[in-house]
């Protein structure tokens, strides 16, 4: 008999059936999601074991402490801008050196720098001596630049000169 007293038989609430259905669906969904994820992580582990380590990022740091890769221009005289490499055409950017041809635009500072003229000097540029860049994990920066003048040189500068890059 039912507790309502109306003579009808009480129906069992359907929430139990709904809960069971939802639990089964959730379990089935979890099984399909978990299996591929574990398979993917196993495959990823295999790929990692076979792959060679990723090469370090290699940059040259400019006057503003910004990393540059194969820049078209590069300022050598950060204080006054009176020496700048332009039109750089990079032949290689390798793990030990980077080589480009371009033009070294140098202010002749005659009679003084503010009144001087920028004069072009064709040059071969070689960046070398990469070292870890402090504060930038996984990034190496070139620490020297070699200028090999292919025609005239600016003033008293030798035909072949190497400078430290301190930025």
């Amino acid at each position: 008999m039912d507790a309502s007293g109306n003579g009808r038989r009480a129906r069992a609430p359907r929430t139990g059936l709904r809960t069971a259905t939802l639990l089964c669906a959730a379990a089935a969904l979890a099984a399909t999601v978990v299996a591929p994820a574990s398979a993917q992580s196993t495959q990823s582990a295999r790929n990692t074991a076979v792959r060679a380590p990723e090469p370090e990022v290699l940059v040259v740091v400019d006057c503003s402490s910004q990393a540059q890769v194969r820049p078209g221009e590069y300022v050598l005289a950060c204080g006054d801008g009176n020496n700048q490499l332009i039109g750089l055409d990079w032949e290689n950017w390798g793990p030990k050196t980077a080589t480009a041809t371009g033009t070294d635009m140098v202010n002749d500072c005659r009679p003084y720098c503010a009144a001087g003229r920028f004069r072009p000097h064709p040059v071969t540029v070689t960046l070398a001596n990469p070292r870890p860049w402090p504060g930038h994990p996984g990034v190496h920066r070139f620490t020297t630049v070699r200028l090999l003048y292919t025609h005239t040189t600016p003033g008293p500068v030798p035909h072949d000169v190497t400078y430290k890059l301190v930025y």
Side-chain angles (χ1 to χ4, degrees):
M1 222 160 181
D2 75 325
S4 67
N6 66 6
R8 289 186 180 172
R9 195 164 193 192
R11 270 191 160 163
R14 294 177 58 145
T15 58
L17 179 59
R18 285 184 188 153
T19 302
T21 303
L22 287 172
L23 287 173
C24 287
L29 181 62
T32 60
V33 170
V34 170
S38 64
Q40 287 174 355
S41 64
T42 302
Q43 183 64 33
S44 176
R46 282 188 211 128
N47 290 344
T48 302
V50 176
R51 283 188 198 150
E54 291 295 319
E56 297 287 330
V57 176
L58 192 54
V59 302
V60 62
V61 180
D62 67 15
C63 295
S64 300
S65 295
Q66 298 297 310
Q68 302 289 322
V69 177
R70 297 179 184 258
E73 298 181 348
Y74 188 80
V75 176
L76 291 170
C78 291
D80 57 16
N82 282 325
N83 190 349
Q84 180 176 359
L85 300 170
I86 63 168
L88 294 174
D89 182 22
W90 294 95
E91 296 167 13
N92 70 46
W93 192 273
K96 301 283 184 199
T97 63
T99 306
T101 56
T103 303
D104 188 7
M105 294 297 291
V106 182
N107 188 344
D108 64 11
C109 291
R110 289 189 207 141
Y112 49 93
C113 290
R117 289 185 45 205
F118 280 87
R119 304 208 181 262
H121 301 277
V123 68
T124 298
V125 178
T126 303
L127 300 173
N129 201 25
R131 295 286 180 256
W133 189 14
H136 299 82
V139 179
H140 281 60
R141 64 185 170 111
F142 288 112
T143 60
T144 61
V145 58
R146 177 183 177 204
L147 304 177
L148 178 61
Y149 293 96
T150 57
H151 297 303
T152 61
T153 65
V157 176
H159 178 70
D160 186 354
V161 63
T162 299
Y163 299 108
K164 278 188 171 185
L165 297 174
V166 295
Y167 327 114

